Amino acid sequence: MRSGPLVFGLARCRGRRVRPATAGTGYARAGTGEAASAGIELFCELARMVAALAEVQSLRSFALPYPGYAQRALDRTVMRCLGLGETPPRSLPELWDWCRSRTAGDPLFAVPASFVDPDATLVHPVGLMPTRTCLEVASHGPAGGVAVDARTLLDDLEARCGTAERYRRCRRFLARHPVVHQENRRVPGWSKSVWSTVKELYQPLPESLRVEDVSLRCPSCGLPAIPEGGSTPVSGKPPLGEGIWCEGEECPHADGLELIREPDLALILPRALRAFLVLPHRTEEAALNALDGAGIGYEAVSGHLCAYRLRSIGSATLDVRVYDRLQPGLLAAHLTRDTPAADRTFVVVPERLADRDGYRAGFTAALPAQLRERIVLTAPADLVRGLGAPLTGDDGAESRYRRNPEPTRPEGEDDA
């Protein structure tokens, strides 16, 4: 049984300290111009605090003195509340619970809808863990936060692998196996060489993700899940009417959840990799399969989570970047800060997001005018068709892209 909203068990990656992103200019400027709003700054600081606290190992309660970054966030929240005539949270546990109900659009924050969905919260009301929006906000700004943590882990892995093919196999293994049970290592096809390379990235399954001596996993996204109330029948299917939280947050759960028995024998990837590698992986695979089917060559771009440079397509340079992020304004802000060097970059997101009311428009509106021609939002099914669109150069001439008839992605063994 979980013991409440302040039971944290997401273990730190071996040898890595929890390091909340430091405050700095740029966190609150999306949609607000040069004058940063105090409410938005506070919302961003709370997001960084929630993301950092959720990574503290075996923290069952908060005892004084609080971590410095958490105390500062609490102090700023108290001062903001007093300034607006609101009743402030009296402690860090109360602030954590408070982040379950206070939305981005609350007058305390007044975050513009162009920045974050007004209904978004930082702590999920059922999962009692950081929301995906929280992690996206915590990754916004110069320090890069959680998303940079994921990229650092993968950069280290790439350096250890030595070859592009070995790294590709290891990276794909991580994306397909956010949770590994000891029994998985006994099935045919298990790659001992891949496991020996990636195993140090995995951590013990935290207590906060266990339910009645088992753990639960969403069959859609493959990530941890928890029913409302923290209990479930042995079948894995929660009682009718109960809510379910999974880290994907948007998956259907009508058929219930998968059970992971003997969770002491299970290991899990850090939340940074689960959010920024595992979640976009199916979209990434769909995009690469579309390129393969069209005979378009590509190679991975180092230093990015899911980025590829297309080959042999004429004089223009074309990149593909894959994301699964809920907040289009934050995605646009990320690409504005880390502007792709290619002539045109296709930003591929899941179809459910690309088709969501306001998502494309919100993304485009949040881009600076000079980037709207160079950065194109699309879904995997539309990627190849979009590559045929003309690109207008500085001289006004249009160039069209040639396709490489030979797919370049190697056909490796199934790393499962």
Side-chain angles (χ1 to χ4, degrees), residues 84-375:
L84 296 178
E86 298 244 6
T87 302
R90 294 167 295 179
S91 64
L92 190 53
E94 189 170 317
L95 177 59
W96 181 273
D97 194 61
W98 192 77
C99 287
R100 297 171 60 195
S101 57
R102 293 277 185 163
T103 64
D106 188 284
L108 193 69
F109 306 123
V111 177
S114 59
F115 183 53
V116 171
D117 186 327
D119 294 330
T121 62
L122 298 176
V123 174
H124 196 279
V126 174
L128 310 179
M129 300 295 285
T131 60
R132 289 179 57 183
T133 292
C134 176
L135 299 182
E136 292 176 22
V137 173
S139 299
H140 177 58
V146 186
V148 166
D149 289 343
R151 195 175 74 196
T152 300
L153 291 170
L154 290 179
D155 287 347
D156 292 345
L157 174 64
E158 184 176 17
R160 292 200 311 273
C161 285
T163 68
E165 171 59 14
R166 183 172 179 81
Y167 173 63
R168 184 193 70 83
R169 293 181 63 211
C170 290
R171 183 183 181 280
R172 186 171 70 172
F173 179 92
L174 297 178
R176 292 181 174 181
H177 299 84
V179 180
V180 172
H181 196 276
Q182 184 171 298
E183 292 298 320
N184 298 142
R185 290 174 250 173
R186 300 192 177 107
V187 301
W190 179 265
S191 174
K192 292 182 180 179
S193 64
V194 169
W195 177 244
S196 67
T197 306
V198 304
K199 63 182 179 182
E200 69 180 62
L201 290 171
Y202 287 83
Q203 312 158 351
L205 194 69
E207 184 178 331
S208 59
L209 296 178
R210 303 184 188 195
V211 180
E212 296 184 347
D213 299 323
V214 300
S215 183
L216 297 166
R217 177 169 52 197
C218 171
S220 297
C221 66
L223 294 172
I226 294 172
E228 189 171 13
S231 63
T232 187
V234 177
S235 67
K237 192 166 186 178
L240 188 65
E242 285 200 357
I244 292 177
W245 166 83
C246 74
E247 287 186 342
E249 292 188 8
E250 299 193 327
C251 303
H253 299 115
D255 296 329
L257 305 171
E258 296 176 355
L259 288 175
I260 301 175
R261 302 185 187 278
E262 298 181 287
D264 287 339
L265 303 180
L267 299 172
I268 190 169
L269 287 176
R271 180 73 191 265
L273 289 177
R274 303 200 307 266
F276 295 107
L277 173 66
V278 176
L279 273 174
H281 178 65
R282 285 183 297 176
T283 304
E284 181 182 18
E285 286 286 286
L288 297 185
N289 287 338
L291 294 174
D292 286 342
I296 301 174
Y298 51 86
E299 59 186 7
V301 178
S302 296
H304 299 278
L305 287 169
C306 305
Y308 298 87
R309 172 67 51 83
L310 304 189
R311 295 174 179 164
S312 302
I313 47 177
S315 59
T317 57
L318 301 182
D319 281 359
V320 171
R321 292 196 187 184
V322 183
Y323 297 92
D324 189 344
R325 300 203 184 186
L326 298 182
Q327 303 298 334
L330 287 176
L331 178 55
H334 163 70
L335 290 162
T336 300
R337 178 173 293 278
D338 184 18
T339 304
D343 295 317
R344 179 173 285 178
T345 297
F346 292 85
V347 176
V348 184
V349 299
E351 186 173 354
R352 73 178 194 284
L353 294 180
D355 293 343
R356 182 169 295 174
D357 287 346
Y359 193 95
R360 289 177 186 265
F363 174 82
T364 302
L367 288 173
Q370 65 270 23
L371 293 182
R372 291 175 189 170
E373 167 70 14
R374 292 178 50 202
I375 298 178

Side-chain angles (χ1 to χ4, degrees), residues 32-64:
T32 64
E34 290 297 321
S37 160
I40 300 176
E41 289 283 5
L42 177 59
F43 189 76
C44 292
E45 183 169 359
L46 289 175
R48 298 190 296 271
M49 180 204 74
V50 168
L53 287 178
E55 292 296 320
V56 176
Q57 185 173 3
S58 301
L59 184 60
R60 293 177 176 275
S61 62
F62 290 117
L64 291 169

